[in-house]
């Protein structure tokens, strides 16, 4: 499975589990940690943990490999590392506090992603 196919599978899983404000960041040529980073939100600690657990289960079913997971017990910020794609699932307040998008997205892309996420559009 290529990293782009894995990314598509991860995005489908997140959408199926009602993750919100999903942002994809292409890391190729910018970092050696992964090819893609995905940032998403869940509405509660329970939903954040469930999204992460289901994503890890689907990853194992599709690839036969186990994803590394950090933070699932707390449910505020869960990191799922699949090697090619790193997924961060946050509660909205925690996501706002850390602002990972600001760190990884260029300023123009960040403003475009915020505009697209506005509910009045």
């Amino acid at each position: 499975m290529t990293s782009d196919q894995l990314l598509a599978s991860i995005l489908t899983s997140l959408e199926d589990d009602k993750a919100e404000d999903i942002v994809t960041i292409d890391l190729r040529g910018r970092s050696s940690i992964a090819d893609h980073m995905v940032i998403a939100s869940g509405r509660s600690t329970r939903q954040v943990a469930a999204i992460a657990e289901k994503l890890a289960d689907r990853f194992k079913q599709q690839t036969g490999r186990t994803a590394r997971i950090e933070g699932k017990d707390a449910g505020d910020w869960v990191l799922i590392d699949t090697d090619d794609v790193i997924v961060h699932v946050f509660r909205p307040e925690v996501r706002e506090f850390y602002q990972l998008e600001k760190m990884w997205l260029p300023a123009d892309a960040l403003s475009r992603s915020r505009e697209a996420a506005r509910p009045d559009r």
Side-chain angles (χ1 to χ4, degrees), residues 43 91-98:
R43 291 181 298 278
R91 276 189 317 105
E93 303 82 22
V94 178
R95 183 176 180 173
E96 180 63 30
F97 180 79
Y98 286 102

Side-chain angles (χ1 to χ4, degrees), residues 8 17 40 64 75 79 92 112:
D17 293 331
L79 180 139
R112 283 194 310 268

Side-chain angles (χ1 to χ4, degrees), residues 5-26:
Q5 291 170 326
L6 178 58
L7 175 63
S9 173
I10 287 169
L11 293 174
T12 298
S13 178
L14 291 171
E15 290 167 2
D16 288 349
D17 293 331
K18 309 294 188 239
E20 299 176 346
D21 301 324
I22 301 169
V23 174
T24 304
I25 302 169
D26 190 342

Side-chain angles (χ1 to χ4, degrees), residues 10-54:
I10 287 169
L11 293 174
T12 298
S13 178
L14 291 171
E15 290 167 2
D16 288 349
D17 293 331
K18 309 294 188 239
E20 299 176 346
D21 301 324
I22 301 169
V23 174
T24 304
I25 302 169
D26 190 342
L27 298 178
R28 293 175 288 198
R30 296 176 59 200
S31 175
S32 61
I33 61 171
D35 289 342
H36 304 280
M37 180 184 297
V38 178
I39 302 171
S41 297
R43 291 181 298 278
S44 66
T45 56
R46 180 175 285 181
Q47 186 188 23
V48 168
I51 289 169
E53 191 170 322
K54 286 189 174 187

Side-chain angles (χ1 to χ4, degrees), residues 58-98:
R58 289 174 181 138
F59 175 74
K60 184 164 181 126
Q61 288 174 354
Q62 291 174 349
T63 67
R65 300 185 338 228
T66 302
R68 291 173 298 285
I69 300 177
E70 297 290 332
K72 189 174 73 111
D73 292 337
D76 289 329
W77 173 4
V78 181
L79 180 139
I80 305 103
D81 184 355
T82 68
D83 290 330
D84 292 332
V85 181
I86 295 174
V87 182
H88 300 271
V89 184
F90 290 97
R91 276 189 317 105
E93 303 82 22
V94 178
R95 183 176 180 173
E96 180 63 30
F97 180 79
Y98 286 102

